Coordinates of all heavy atoms in Angstrom, one line a residue:
M1253 N 17.1 -15.2 15.4 CA 16.1 -16.0 14.6 C 16.4 -15.8 13.2 O 16.6 -14.7 12.7 CB 14.7 -15.5 15.0 CG 13.6 -16.2 14.2 SD 11.9 -15.6 14.6 CE 11.7 -16.2 16.3
D1254 N 16.5 -16.9 12.4 CA 16.7 -16.7 11.0 C 15.4 -16.6 10.2 O 14.3 -16.8 10.8 CB 17.6 -17.9 10.5 CG 17.0 -19.2 10.5 OD1 15.7 -19.3 10.6 OD2 17.7 -20.2 10.4
V1255 N 15.5 -16.4 8.9 CA 14.3 -16.2 8.1 C 13.4 -17.4 8.1 O 12.2 -17.3 8.1 CB 14.7 -15.7 6.7 CG1 13.5 -15.6 5.8 CG2 15.4 -14.4 6.7
A1256 N 14.0 -18.6 8.0 CA 13.2 -19.8 8.0 C 12.3 -19.9 9.3 O 11.2 -20.3 9.2 CB 14.1 -21.0 7.8
E1257 N 13.0 -19.6 10.4 CA 12.2 -19.7 11.7 C 11.1 -18.6 11.7 O 10.0 -18.9 12.2 CB 13.2 -19.4 12.9 CG 14.1 -20.6 13.1 CD 15.2 -20.2 14.2 OE1 15.8 -19.1 14.1 OE2 15.4 -21.1 15.0
L1258 N 11.4 -17.5 11.2 CA 10.5 -16.4 11.2 C 9.3 -16.8 10.3 O 8.1 -16.5 10.6 CB 11.1 -15.1 10.7 CG 10.4 -13.8 10.7 CD1 9.8 -13.5 12.1 CD2 11.2 -12.7 10.2
Q1259 N 9.6 -17.3 9.1 CA 8.5 -17.8 8.2 C 7.6 -18.8 8.9 O 6.4 -18.8 8.7 CB 9.1 -18.4 6.9 CG 9.7 -17.3 6.0 CD 10.4 -17.9 4.8 OE1 11.1 -18.9 4.9 NE2 10.3 -17.2 3.7
H1260 N 8.2 -19.8 9.6 CA 7.5 -20.8 10.3 C 6.5 -20.1 11.4 O 5.3 -20.5 11.5 CB 8.4 -21.8 11.0 CG 7.6 -22.8 11.8 ND1 6.8 -23.8 11.3 CD2 7.5 -22.9 13.2 CE1 6.3 -24.4 12.3 NE2 6.7 -23.9 13.4
E1261 N 7.0 -19.2 12.1 CA 6.2 -18.5 13.1 C 5.1 -17.7 12.5 O 4.0 -17.7 13.0 CB 7.1 -17.5 13.9 CG 8.1 -18.2 14.9 CD 7.4 -19.1 15.9 OE1 6.4 -18.7 16.5 OE2 7.9 -20.2 16.2
I1262 N 5.3 -17.1 11.3 CA 4.3 -16.4 10.6 C 3.2 -17.4 10.1 O 2.0 -17.0 10.2 CB 4.9 -15.6 9.4 CG1 5.8 -14.5 9.9 CG2 3.8 -15.1 8.5 CD1 6.7 -13.8 8.9
E1263 N 3.6 -18.6 9.7 CA 2.6 -19.6 9.3 C 1.6 -19.9 10.5 O 0.5 -20.3 10.2 CB 3.2 -20.8 8.8 CG 3.9 -20.7 7.5 CD 4.6 -22.0 7.1 OE1 5.0 -22.8 8.0 OE2 4.7 -22.2 5.9
L1264 N 2.1 -19.7 11.7 CA 1.3 -20.1 12.9 C 0.3 -19.0 13.3 O -0.6 -19.2 14.1 CB 2.2 -20.4 14.1 CG 3.1 -21.6 13.9 CD1 4.0 -21.8 15.1 CD2 2.4 -22.9 13.6
L1265 N 0.5 -17.8 12.7 CA -0.4 -16.6 13.0 C -1.7 -16.8 12.4 O -1.9 -17.5 11.4 CB 0.3 -15.3 12.5 CG 1.6 -14.9 13.1 CD1 2.1 -13.7 12.3 CD2 1.5 -14.6 14.6
S1266 N -2.7 -16.2 13.0 CA -4.1 -16.2 12.4 C -4.0 -15.4 11.1 O -3.1 -14.6 10.8 CB -5.1 -15.5 13.3 OG -4.8 -14.1 13.4
Q1267 N -5.1 -15.6 10.3 CA -5.2 -14.9 9.0 C -5.2 -13.4 9.2 O -4.5 -12.6 8.5 CB -6.5 -15.3 8.3 CG -6.6 -14.6 6.9 CD -7.8 -15.1 6.2 OE1 -8.5 -16.1 6.5 NE2 -8.2 -14.4 5.1
A1268 N -5.9 -12.9 10.2 CA -5.9 -11.5 10.5 C -4.5 -10.9 10.9 O -4.1 -9.9 10.5 CB -6.9 -11.2 11.6
Q1269 N -3.8 -11.7 11.7 CA -2.4 -11.3 12.1 C -1.5 -11.3 10.9 O -0.6 -10.4 10.7 CB -1.9 -12.2 13.2 CG -2.6 -12.0 14.5 CD -2.2 -13.1 15.5 OE1 -2.1 -14.3 15.2 NE2 -2.0 -12.7 16.8
Q1270 N -1.6 -12.3 10.0 CA -0.8 -12.4 8.8 C -1.1 -11.2 7.9 O -0.2 -10.6 7.3 CB -1.1 -13.7 8.0 CG -0.5 -14.9 8.7 CD -0.8 -16.1 8.0 OE1 -1.5 -16.2 6.9 NE2 -0.4 -17.3 8.5
D1271 N -2.4 -10.8 7.8 CA -2.8 -9.7 7.0 C -2.2 -8.4 7.5 O -1.7 -7.5 6.8 CB -4.3 -9.5 6.9 CG -5.0 -10.6 6.0 OD1 -4.2 -11.3 5.3 OD2 -6.2 -10.7 6.1
R1272 N -2.2 -8.3 8.9 CA -1.7 -7.1 9.5 C -0.2 -7.0 9.3 O 0.4 -5.9 9.0 CB -2.0 -7.1 11.0 CG -1.5 -5.9 11.7 CD -1.9 -5.9 13.2 NE -1.3 -4.8 13.9 CZ -1.4 -4.6 15.2 NH1 -2.2 -5.4 15.9 NH2 -0.8 -3.6 15.8
L1273 N 0.5 -8.1 9.4 CA 2.0 -8.2 9.1 C 2.3 -7.8 7.6 O 3.2 -7.1 7.4 CB 2.5 -9.6 9.5 CG 4.0 -9.8 9.2 CD1 4.8 -8.8 10.0 CD2 4.4 -11.2 9.6
A1274 N 1.5 -8.4 6.7 CA 1.7 -8.1 5.3 C 1.5 -6.6 5.0 O 2.3 -6.0 4.3 CB 0.7 -8.9 4.5
A1275 N 0.5 -6.0 5.6 CA 0.3 -4.5 5.5 C 1.5 -3.8 6.0 O 1.9 -2.8 5.4 CB -1.0 -4.1 6.1
F1276 N 2.0 -4.2 7.2 CA 3.1 -3.5 7.8 C 4.3 -3.6 6.9 O 5.1 -2.6 6.6 CB 3.4 -4.1 9.2 CG 4.8 -3.7 9.7 CD1 4.9 -2.4 10.3 CD2 5.9 -4.6 9.7 CE1 6.1 -2.0 10.8 CE2 7.1 -4.1 10.2 CZ 7.2 -2.9 10.7
L1277 N 4.6 -4.8 6.3 CA 5.8 -5.0 5.5 C 5.6 -4.2 4.2 O 6.6 -3.6 3.7 CB 5.9 -6.5 5.2 CG 6.4 -7.4 6.4 CD1 6.4 -8.8 6.0 CD2 7.8 -6.9 6.8
L1278 N 4.4 -4.1 3.6 CA 4.2 -3.3 2.4 C 4.5 -1.9 2.7 O 5.2 -1.2 2.0 CB 2.8 -3.5 1.9 CG 2.4 -2.7 0.7 CD1 3.3 -3.0 -0.5 CD2 1.0 -2.9 0.3
A1279 N 4.0 -1.3 3.8 CA 4.2 0.1 4.2 C 5.7 0.3 4.4 O 6.2 1.4 4.0 CB 3.4 0.4 5.4
L1280 N 6.4 -0.6 5.1 CA 7.8 -0.5 5.3 C 8.6 -0.4 4.0 O 9.4 0.5 3.8 CB 8.3 -1.7 6.1 CG 9.7 -1.6 6.7 CD1 9.8 -0.5 7.7 CD2 10.0 -3.0 7.4
R1281 N 8.2 -1.3 3.0 CA 8.8 -1.2 1.7 C 8.5 0.1 1.0 O 9.4 0.7 0.4 CB 8.4 -2.4 0.8 CG 8.9 -2.3 -0.6 CD 8.4 -3.5 -1.4 NE 9.2 -4.6 -1.1 CZ 8.9 -5.8 -1.6 NH1 7.9 -6.0 -2.4 NH2 9.7 -6.9 -1.3
M1282 N 7.3 0.5 1.0 CA 6.9 1.7 0.3 C 7.7 2.9 0.9 O 8.1 3.8 0.2 CB 5.4 2.0 0.4 CG 4.6 1.0 -0.4 SD 2.8 1.1 -0.1 CE 2.5 2.6 -0.9
R1283 N 7.8 3.0 2.2 CA 8.6 4.1 2.9 C 10.0 4.0 2.4 O 10.7 5.0 2.1 CB 8.4 4.0 4.4 CG 9.0 5.1 5.1 CD 8.7 5.2 6.6 NE 8.9 3.9 7.2 CZ 8.1 3.4 8.1 NH1 7.0 4.0 8.4 NH2 8.3 2.2 8.7
R1284 N 10.6 2.8 2.5 CA 12.0 2.6 2.1 C 12.3 3.0 0.6 O 13.3 3.6 0.3 CB 12.4 1.1 2.3 CG 13.8 0.8 2.0 CD 14.2 -0.7 2.2 NE 13.5 -1.5 1.2 CZ 12.7 -2.6 1.6 NH1 12.5 -2.9 2.8 NH2 12.1 -3.3 0.7
E1285 N 11.4 2.7 -0.2 CA 11.6 3.0 -1.7 C 11.1 4.4 -2.1 O 11.2 4.8 -3.2 CB 10.8 1.9 -2.5 CG 11.5 0.5 -2.4 CD 10.7 -0.5 -3.1 OE1 9.6 -0.3 -3.7 OE2 11.2 -1.7 -3.1
G1286 N 10.6 5.2 -1.1 CA 10.2 6.5 -1.4 C 8.8 6.7 -2.0 O 8.4 7.8 -2.4
V1287 N 8.1 5.6 -2.0 CA 6.7 5.6 -2.6 C 5.8 6.5 -1.8 O 5.0 7.2 -2.3 CB 6.2 4.2 -2.8 CG1 4.8 4.2 -3.3 CG2 7.1 3.4 -3.7
I1288 N 5.9 6.4 -0.4 CA 5.0 7.2 0.5 C 5.2 8.6 0.2 O 4.2 9.4 0.1 CB 5.3 6.8 1.9 CG1 5.0 5.4 2.2 CG2 4.5 7.7 2.9 CD1 3.6 5.0 2.2
A1289 N 6.5 9.1 0.1 CA 6.7 10.5 -0.2 C 6.2 10.9 -1.5 O 5.6 12.0 -1.7 CB 8.2 10.8 -0.1
D1290 N 6.3 10.0 -2.5 CA 5.7 10.4 -3.9 C 4.2 10.5 -3.8 O 3.6 11.4 -4.4 CB 6.1 9.3 -4.8 CG 5.7 9.6 -6.3 OD1 5.9 10.7 -6.7 OD2 5.2 8.6 -6.9
I1291 N 3.6 9.6 -3.1 CA 2.1 9.6 -3.0 C 1.7 10.9 -2.3 O 0.7 11.6 -2.7 CB 1.6 8.4 -2.2 CG1 1.7 7.1 -3.1 CG2 0.1 8.6 -1.8 CD1 1.5 5.8 -2.4
K1292 N 2.4 11.2 -1.2 CA 2.0 12.4 -0.4 C 2.2 13.7 -1.3 O 1.3 14.6 -1.3 CB 2.9 12.6 0.8 CG 2.6 13.8 1.7 CD 3.4 13.8 2.9 CE 3.1 14.9 3.8 NZ 2.5 16.1 3.3
E1293 N 3.3 13.7 -2.1 CA 3.5 14.9 -3.0 C 2.4 15.0 -4.0 O 1.9 16.1 -4.3 CB 4.9 14.7 -3.7 CG 5.2 15.8 -4.6 CD 6.6 15.6 -5.2 OE1 7.5 15.1 -4.6 OE2 6.7 15.9 -6.5
R1294 N 2.0 13.9 -4.6 CA 0.9 13.9 -5.6 C -0.4 14.3 -4.9 O -1.2 15.1 -5.5 CB 0.8 12.5 -6.2 CG 1.9 12.2 -7.1 CD 1.8 10.9 -7.9 NE 0.7 11.0 -8.9 CZ 0.2 10.1 -9.6 NH1 0.7 8.8 -9.4 NH2 -0.7 10.3 -10.5
L1295 N -0.7 13.8 -3.7 CA -2.0 14.2 -3.1 C -2.0 15.7 -2.7 O -3.1 16.3 -2.7 CB -2.2 13.3 -1.8 CG -2.5 11.9 -2.1 CD1 -2.5 11.1 -0.8 CD2 -3.9 11.7 -2.8
D1296 N -0.9 16.2 -2.4 CA -0.8 17.6 -1.9 C -0.6 18.6 -3.1 O -0.6 19.8 -2.8 CB 0.4 17.8 -0.9 CG 0.1 17.1 0.4 OD1 -1.1 16.8 0.7 OD2 1.1 16.9 1.2
D1297 N -0.5 18.1 -4.3 CA -0.3 19.0 -5.4 C -1.5 19.9 -5.6 O -2.6 19.4 -5.8 CB 0.0 18.1 -6.7 CG 0.5 18.9 -7.8 OD1 0.2 20.2 -7.9 OD2 1.3 18.4 -8.7
K1298 N -1.3 21.2 -5.6 CA -2.4 22.1 -5.7 C -2.8 22.5 -7.2 O -3.7 23.3 -7.4 CB -2.1 23.4 -4.9 CG -1.8 23.2 -3.5 CD -3.0 22.9 -2.7 CE -2.7 22.9 -1.2 NZ -3.0 21.6 -0.5
R1299 N -2.0 22.0 -8.1 CA -2.2 22.4 -9.5 C -3.4 21.6 -10.2 O -3.2 20.4 -10.3 CB -0.9 22.2 -10.3 CG 0.2 23.1 -9.8 CD 1.5 22.7 -10.5 NE 1.9 21.3 -10.1 CZ 2.9 20.7 -10.5 NH1 3.7 21.2 -11.5 NH2 3.2 19.5 -10.1
P1300 N -4.5 22.3 -10.5 CA -5.6 21.5 -11.0 C -5.3 20.8 -12.3 O -6.0 19.7 -12.6 CB -6.6 22.7 -11.3 CG -6.2 23.8 -10.4 CD -4.7 23.7 -10.3
E1301 N -4.4 21.2 -13.1 CA -4.0 20.5 -14.3 C -3.4 19.1 -14.0 O -3.4 18.2 -14.9 CB -3.1 21.3 -15.2 CG -1.7 21.5 -14.7 CD -1.6 22.8 -13.8 OE1 -2.6 23.4 -13.4 OE2 -0.4 23.1 -13.5
K1302 N -3.0 18.9 -12.8 CA -2.4 17.6 -12.4 C -3.5 16.6 -11.9 O -3.2 15.5 -11.6 CB -1.3 17.8 -11.4 CG -0.1 18.5 -11.9 CD 0.6 17.6 -12.9 CE 1.9 18.2 -13.2 NZ 2.8 17.3 -14.0
W1303 N -4.7 17.1 -11.6 CA -5.8 16.3 -11.0 C -6.4 15.4 -12.1 O -6.4 15.8 -13.3 CB -6.8 17.2 -10.4 CG -6.3 18.1 -9.3 CD1 -5.1 18.1 -8.7 CD2 -7.0 19.2 -8.8 NE1 -5.0 19.1 -7.8 CE2 -6.2 19.8 -7.8 CE3 -8.3 19.8 -9.0 CZ2 -6.5 20.9 -7.0 CZ3 -8.6 20.9 -8.2 CH2 -7.8 21.4 -7.2
I1304 N -6.9 14.3 -11.7 CA -7.7 13.5 -12.6 C -9.1 13.3 -12.0 O -9.3 13.4 -10.8 CB -7.0 12.1 -12.9 CG1 -6.9 11.3 -11.6 CG2 -5.7 12.3 -13.5 CD1 -6.4 9.9 -11.8
S1305 N -10.0 12.9 -12.8 CA -11.4 12.7 -12.3 C -11.5 11.4 -11.5 O -10.6 10.5 -11.6 CB -12.4 12.5 -13.5 OG -12.1 11.3 -14.2
W1306 N -12.5 11.4 -10.6 CA -12.7 10.2 -9.8 C -12.9 8.9 -10.7 O -12.5 7.9 -10.4 CB -13.9 10.4 -8.9 CG -14.3 9.2 -8.0 CD1 -15.5 8.6 -8.0 CD2 -13.4 8.5 -7.2 NE1 -15.4 7.6 -7.1 CE2 -14.2 7.5 -6.6 CE3 -12.1 8.6 -6.8 CZ2 -13.6 6.5 -5.7 CZ3 -11.5 7.7 -5.9 CH2 -12.3 6.7 -5.4
E1307 N -13.6 9.1 -11.8 CA -13.9 8.0 -12.7 C -12.6 7.4 -13.3 O -12.4 6.2 -13.3 CB -14.8 8.4 -13.8 CG -16.2 8.7 -13.4 CD -16.9 7.5 -12.7 OE1 -16.7 6.3 -13.1 OE2 -17.5 7.7 -11.6
K1308 N -11.7 8.3 -13.7 CA -10.4 7.9 -14.2 C -9.5 7.3 -13.1 O -8.9 6.2 -13.3 CB -9.6 9.1 -14.8 CG -8.3 8.7 -15.4 CD -7.6 9.8 -16.2 CE -6.3 9.2 -16.8 NZ -5.6 10.3 -17.5
A1309 N -9.6 7.8 -11.9 CA -8.8 7.2 -10.8 C -9.3 5.8 -10.5 O -8.6 4.9 -10.3 CB -9.0 8.1 -9.5
K1310 N -10.7 5.6 -10.5 CA -11.2 4.3 -10.2 C -10.8 3.3 -11.3 O -10.5 2.2 -11.0 CB -12.8 4.4 -10.2 CG -13.3 5.0 -8.9 CD -14.8 4.8 -8.7 CE -15.6 5.4 -9.8 NZ -17.0 5.3 -9.6
S1311 N -10.8 3.8 -12.5 CA -10.4 3.0 -13.7 C -8.9 2.6 -13.5 O -8.6 1.4 -13.7 CB -10.6 3.7 -15.0 OG -10.1 3.0 -16.1
E1312 N -8.1 3.5 -13.2 CA -6.6 3.2 -13.0 C -6.4 2.3 -11.8 O -5.4 1.5 -11.9 CB -5.8 4.5 -12.8 CG -5.7 5.3 -14.1 CD -4.9 6.6 -13.9 OE1 -4.3 6.8 -12.9 OE2 -4.9 7.4 -14.9
L1313 N -7.2 2.4 -10.8 CA -7.0 1.5 -9.6 C -7.7 0.2 -9.8 O -7.6 -0.7 -8.9 CB -7.5 2.3 -8.4 CG -6.7 3.5 -8.0 CD1 -7.5 4.3 -6.9 CD2 -5.3 3.1 -7.5
G1314 N -8.5 0.0 -10.8 CA -9.2 -1.2 -11.0 C -10.5 -1.4 -10.1 O -10.9 -2.5 -9.8
I1315 N -11.0 -0.2 -9.8 CA -12.2 -0.2 -8.9 C -13.4 -0.1 -9.8 O -13.6 0.8 -10.6 CB -12.2 1.0 -7.9 CG1 -11.0 0.9 -7.0 CG2 -13.5 1.0 -7.1 CD1 -10.8 2.1 -6.2
D1316 N -14.4 -1.1 -9.7 CA -15.5 -1.1 -10.6 C -16.8 -0.4 -10.0 O -17.8 -0.3 -10.7 CB -15.8 -2.5 -11.2 CG -16.3 -3.4 -10.1 OD1 -16.5 -3.0 -8.9 OD2 -16.4 -4.6 -10.4
G1317 N -16.7 -0.1 -8.7 CA -17.8 0.6 -8.1 C -18.9 -0.4 -7.6 O -19.9 0.0 -7.0
S1318 N -18.7 -1.7 -7.8 CA -19.7 -2.7 -7.3 C -19.4 -3.1 -5.9 O -20.1 -3.9 -5.4 CB -19.7 -3.9 -8.2 OG -18.5 -4.6 -8.1
G1319 N -18.4 -2.5 -5.3 CA -18.0 -2.9 -3.9 C -17.2 -4.2 -3.8 O -17.0 -4.7 -2.8
K1320 N -16.8 -4.7 -5.0 CA -16.0 -6.0 -5.0 C -14.5 -5.7 -5.1 O -14.1 -4.7 -5.7 CB -16.4 -6.8 -6.1 CG -17.9 -7.3 -5.9 CD -18.3 -8.2 -7.1 CE -19.7 -8.6 -6.9 NZ -20.3 -9.3 -8.0

């Protein structure tokens, strides 16, 4: 199956199935590029000077707290 056929098949999927596939592809790319390992390393860092506040994290992630 070539990429054009694959793209056509993906168009036929439900929105939920497309979202699941998109999440899978993103995770695959993040693993391939080493992003997952970097995130894990940052989350497991025990040095308090490397931590940021929840407010700063929300700001950096673009989360406004309104649930949107």
Side-chain angles (χ1 to χ4, degrees):
M1253 179 179 291
D1254 67 15
V1255 174
E1257 291 171 315
L1258 188 54
Q1259 288 173 325
H1260 174 71
E1261 291 299 318
I1262 292 168
E1263 287 178 336
L1264 300 176
L1265 296 175
S1266 69
Q1267 181 177 347
Q1269 291 171 317
Q1270 289 176 0
D1271 290 348
R1272 183 174 174 183
L1273 179 59
F1276 169 77
L1277 291 172
L1278 177 60
L1280 192 62
R1281 174 183 280 174
M1282 291 173 71
R1283 186 171 47 223
R1284 181 180 66 234
E1285 294 177 356
V1287 175
I1288 298 289
D1290 184 44
I1291 291 170
K1292 183 178 180 341
E1293 182 180 317
R1294 291 184 70 187
L1295 288 173
D1296 291 342
D1297 195 331
K1298 303 285 190 240
R1299 298 172 292 175
E1301 66 273 11
K1302 293 291 187 171
W1303 300 349
I1304 63 172
S1305 71
W1306 176 236
E1307 292 304 316
K1308 183 173 181 182
K1310 288 191 301 184
S1311 174
E1312 289 182 8
L1313 293 171
I1315 300 171
D1316 66 8
S1318 67
K1320 295 180 182 175

